[in-house]
Structures are given as C-alpha cells and as structure tokens.
Amino acid sequence: MGLLSLSIWLPIALGLVIVALGRDEHAKAVRWIALIAALASFAVTLPLYMGFDTAQAGMQMVENEPWIGRFNVNYHLGVDGISLWFVLLTAFITVIVVVAGWEVITERVHQYMGAFLILSGLMVGVFLAQDALLFYIFFEATLIPMYLIIGVWGGPNRIYAAFKFFLYTLLGSVLMLIALIYLYIHSNGSFDLATWHKLPLSASAQTYLFFAFFAAFAVKVPMWPVHTWLPDVHVEAPTGGSAVLAAIMLKLGAYGFLRFSMPIAPDASHEWAWLMILLSLLAVIYVGLVALMQQDMKKLVAYSSVAHMGFVTLGFFMFDPLSVSGALVQMVSHGFVSGAMFLGIGVLYDRVHSREIATYGGVVNTMPKFAAFALLFAMANCGLPGTAGFVGEWMVILAAVKYNFWIGFLAATALILGAAYTLWMYKRVYLGPVENDDVRGLTDINAREMLVMTVLALAVLWMGIQPKPFTDVMDASVQQLLKHVAVSKLN
C-alpha cells in the first residue's frame, strides 16, 4: 500500500474502528483516539508534498492495480499539482474539526468522530481517483457520513436539511452516471480518465456530456440557481459539519469541472463558457446582495460561500493560467477562511445557543481575544491584502480584466459586497456596548478554542503573505490542462 492509499484508507479504517468499538461511557478515551487518528492521517499526507516534483505536470506517486477485471475497472490513484493541496487541506481540516468538537459533542461521541474520519478518507479518495468509476464511488459515498452528521447532530430541522442535501446532490449525480456509462462504451470498455481525455467526441456528444457533468458538479459547488440547499444545510448542521462542508465538500464539485468537464469536452467547455461566466457573476453579485439581508450568522456565511465559490468557476472558464491558478488558490483559501468563520460562529453558539445577529452586540467587551480572531477572519472573508482571502480573488479579477474589462469590473464588486456584509455582521455582533445579559455573561475562549483559532489564523496569514508554495505546486499541471483544453477534438 502506497502513500496515496494510506491517505485514503487510514482515516477510514480508524474511523470504522472508533465507530465499532467506541462507547459513550468511554467518551474521553474516544476523543483522544480520534485525535491521534486524525493527526496520523494528516501526517501520512505530508510526504506527498515533500516528495512532490513541482516541475512535473503529470500524475505522480501513481498506484494502478486491476480491481474489477470483467469491466476493466482499476484501482488507479495519482496526485498532481491540481489535487495535492486539497488532499492536505482535507486532512488538516479533519484535525481541526476533531479538536473543535472535543467538549461540544457529548452524545454518540464515537459515531461523531468516526463519521468525520471516514468522510475525510472518502473525500481524499475523490481527489486522488484516476479511474472514473472509482471517482464516482468516492464522490457518492461522501454523502453518507455527511448525511448522518447533519441528521443526527444537527439542529431542530436537521432531518429536512439532511434529506434536502442528499436528494439535491444525488439527483445531479444520476446524469453524471449516465455520462460515465456513455464514455465507457465509447472508449471500448475503459474507465481510465487519461484515456477519456483523448477521446474524439462530436460537438453534440460533448455538449450532452458537458451538461450531464454540470448537473452533478454545479449542485455540489453550489452554483446559482442550484445553491438553495446550502443555507438550509449550514443552518441545521453541527459546527464541525458546516466547517467540513464549506471547507472541503464544496470543492469536490469544482474539482470535477477540472477532471471531467474541461478535458473530456473542451469544445463544449469553450462554447458554453459564457453561460458559466454569467452564472458565476450572478453568484458573486446577486448572492452577495442576498447575504446582506441575512439575520442568521450561519446563513450569512453560507451565502458568502456561494459568492466566493463563484470566483472559482469564473476563473476556470476564462481558460487563462492566471485565472485557473487563482481559482485553485481561492478554493484552498476559502477552505481556511470559511472553516474558521463557521467554527467562530460555533464558539458563540455553544455559549448563547443562538445564531441570530440581533442576539449579540458588544461581544468584544467580554471576549476580547476571540473578537480579535473573529476580526482577522472577517477581514480575510472580505479579501483584505495580506490574508488568504485576497490572493485567489485578486488573481481571478486580474485575469478577468484581461479577458473582458466589464467582467473584471463586475467580479471586483464582490470585494465591496464582501466587505459590506461581513463587516456589517462584525459590527452588530462584536462592537458597541453590551446589549443583553447573555453577552454580559460570556467568557473568553479557553485553551482548546485558542489552539484552533491560532492554527487557522496562522494558515490564513501564511497563505496571504507567502502564496508562492501554493502556486508553484499548481503551475505545471494547470499549464498542461489548458494546453489540452485548447486543442479541439472535432474532426
């Protein structure tokens, strides 16, 4: 078993052990075992970065073994500059979520911790799979632990939110399965992605495939107008579920566009780029305006996530090295920033049991340390230079201005809208005099919460100040992808 397999199966195996053997009466021991398992899973991913050759564009550390011989399905894994950071981000966020739920989750602790570890391994599998059927299995399997996390540990309407999440994402995936079967037949019985990338496909076939993949990936991103499931799910999900959903699971759809839509149907991707750009701008502007109207902190950050992910799809479909790299950087930075925002809301909710902005006011007077971290994450969410939130958005805006001035101009309005809704929320929650007894009785963050906030703050600042390690890893793979997409497959 190579490093890629270990990155997938170690958290899954340890998660299953915790679920099977853990008991509520041994909750303290379960928490420590889960933390050790998450740290071990993260440690396994670090050699992937240390041994990665940034000059090489293709797949590295490849593992390829026959799996289902009759249908020519292989257990085929590989990592390149596009997927590497998402593997590391997934394992990193899992450690953070385990620590964040340390004292908050008091019932079925073993199932909660086990579910996140299993989910972590499945999401890593999505980023590493080079066989389409293997990708599909991992892609769909991630729904199961997240469905349980929302449905068991969520809020009062958790069952409704869990069903909505499951049905929305599963419905889109049915069309993707049909596309996979078509490509399997058309390639004479192969599920290998590299083989599919070379298939000569007609214009009509590419268009049908493009929209079949769009149905699955747009819902997962989520793009406007199929984004309506996200705010409901975020409101009802436990804090850890919201953090993982925003930081990692939304990236699975965006990643699918790079692995399937663009390289398999390059001509259709160019033909329908205007539609993707239009929908992305609607997400950036319209959903940003919707965020301004929210009275629930989680809903505000959920709509903020839709707007920020609009930059990702906008960057992809301008087919420029700067825009695609910027979109990838935006995906990673959004993982840090949105995860931090949701975990910060969880800190307040654990104390006051309310997400309503009107419930708070003057939190800085009783929780000054926490308010300082919240300000940093709010500024990162606005895209302040020097934070992770700035780098990707700025790269995409620069590429957009080069592509079309008005597209760049409209995209840049996101910086204004982001500052408006984020700072407006911060002002009402944290600044001014203490508004009520709930806020007056708050205690500042403890050592565990301080650790979580500090680690995330360092990640946000590191990426904002020194983004070069991130872009260096991506460059060769992005160039190769765009070179491939630029070549027409039409006869």
Side-chain angles (χ1 to χ4, degrees), residues 329 332-333 336 387-388 391 458-467 470:
V329 169
V332 179
S333 69
F336 292 138
T387 65
V391 183
L458 290 173
V460 166
L461 291 172
W462 171 47
M463 189 172 189
I465 295 169
Q466 182 65 7
F470 296 87

Side-chain angles (χ1 to χ4, degrees), residues 417-453:
L417 291 171
Y421 57 70
T422 306
L423 296 181
W424 181 234
M425 178 183 73
Y426 187 87
K427 183 255 183 188
R428 288 180 287 171
V429 172
Y430 294 93
L431 302 182
V434 175
E435 295 291 340
N436 55 54
D437 291 338
D438 286 334
V439 175
R440 196 170 287 109
L442 289 175
T443 55
D444 214 339
I445 50 177
N446 56 34
R448 175 185 58 83
E449 293 165 331
M450 175 69 83
L451 176 63
V452 171
M453 294 291 114

Side-chain angles (χ1 to χ4, degrees), residues 120-413:
S120 173
L122 294 173
M123 291 189 296
V124 169
V126 173
F127 294 123
L128 296 180
Q130 300 306 311
D131 181 277
L133 186 61
L134 187 64
F135 174 93
Y136 185 80
I137 291 169
F138 281 129
F139 189 80
E140 293 304 296
T142 59
L143 299 180
I144 300 169
M146 182 54 76
Y147 174 82
L148 295 174
I149 288 165
I150 299 165
V152 175
W153 293 276
N157 295 321
R158 59 185 179 272
I159 302 301
Y160 165 78
F163 266 101
K164 192 172 186 179
F165 162 75
F166 196 91
L167 291 176
Y168 258 72
T169 50
L170 186 64
L171 196 60
S173 298
V174 171
L175 291 175
M176 180 171 75
L177 181 60
I178 294 171
L180 299 186
I181 294 170
Y182 171 84
L183 287 165
Y184 173 76
I185 295 170
H186 195 75
S187 61
N188 298 318
S190 173
F191 280 109
D192 182 59
L193 284 181
T195 301
W196 285 7
H197 292 174
K198 300 172 185 175
L199 287 177
L201 298 168
S202 67
S204 58
Q206 287 194 44
T207 299
Y208 291 135
L209 290 169
F210 179 84
F211 283 104
F213 290 132
F214 175 86
F217 302 140
V219 171
K220 205 87 163 185
V221 168
M223 295 182 69
W224 185 91
V226 289
H227 67 288
T228 55
W229 63 270
L230 187 68
D232 291 334
V233 170
H234 271 308
V235 166
E236 298 303 326
T239 300
S242 288
V244 169
L245 182 63
I248 311 298
M249 289 201 75
L250 303 189
K251 314 305 183 293
L252 301 182
Y255 179 78
F257 281 120
L258 294 180
R259 283 287 182 251
F260 287 82
S261 304
M262 291 168 63
I264 292 174
D267 298 297
S269 297
H270 281 283
E271 181 183 354
W272 294 99
W274 67 269
L275 176 64
M276 300 299 293
I277 290 171
L278 176 62
L279 295 179
S280 301
L281 290 174
L282 282 169
V284 167
I285 299 169
Y286 170 72
V287 178
L289 290 170
V290 172
L292 273 169
M293 307 301 295
Q294 301 307 310
Q295 301 301 316
D296 183 301
M297 288 188 287
K298 262 196 169 185
K299 268 197 174 180
L300 189 150
V301 179
Y303 281 113
S304 168
S305 289
V306 177
H308 285 114
M309 289 301 291
F311 270 98
V312 174
T313 47
L314 176 64
F316 287 168
F317 286 90
M318 289 188 292
F319 305 104
D320 183 86
L322 182 63
S323 70
V324 176
S325 295
L328 289 168
V329 169
Q330 173 73 354
M331 288 167 70
V332 179
S333 69
H334 181 259
F336 292 138
V337 177
S338 65
M341 294 285 286
F342 280 114
L343 290 169
I345 293 169
V347 168
L348 292 175
Y349 184 80
D350 293 339
R351 288 161 167 77
V352 180
H353 300 292
S354 173
R355 294 181 299 268
E356 293 295 318
I357 294 172
T359 306
Y360 299 91
V363 171
V364 69
N365 298 290
T366 51
M367 302 180 72
K369 295 177 184 176
F370 175 65
F373 283 113
L375 180 61
L376 171 63
F377 299 138
M379 291 299 179
N381 202 52
C382 297
L384 183 75
T387 65
F390 173 76
V391 183
E393 290 187 4
W394 184 244
M395 291 170 71
V396 173
I397 290 170
L398 284 177
V401 171
K402 176 183 170 184
Y403 182 84
N404 181 288
F405 172 79
W406 292 109
I407 290 175
F409 175 80
L410 291 171
T413 60

Side-chain angles (χ1 to χ4, degrees), residues 17-31:
V17 170
I18 290 171
V19 170
L21 302 180
R23 296 288 183 273
D24 273 350
E25 55 267 28
H26 302 135
K28 185 176 180 181
V30 166
R31 292 185 182 103

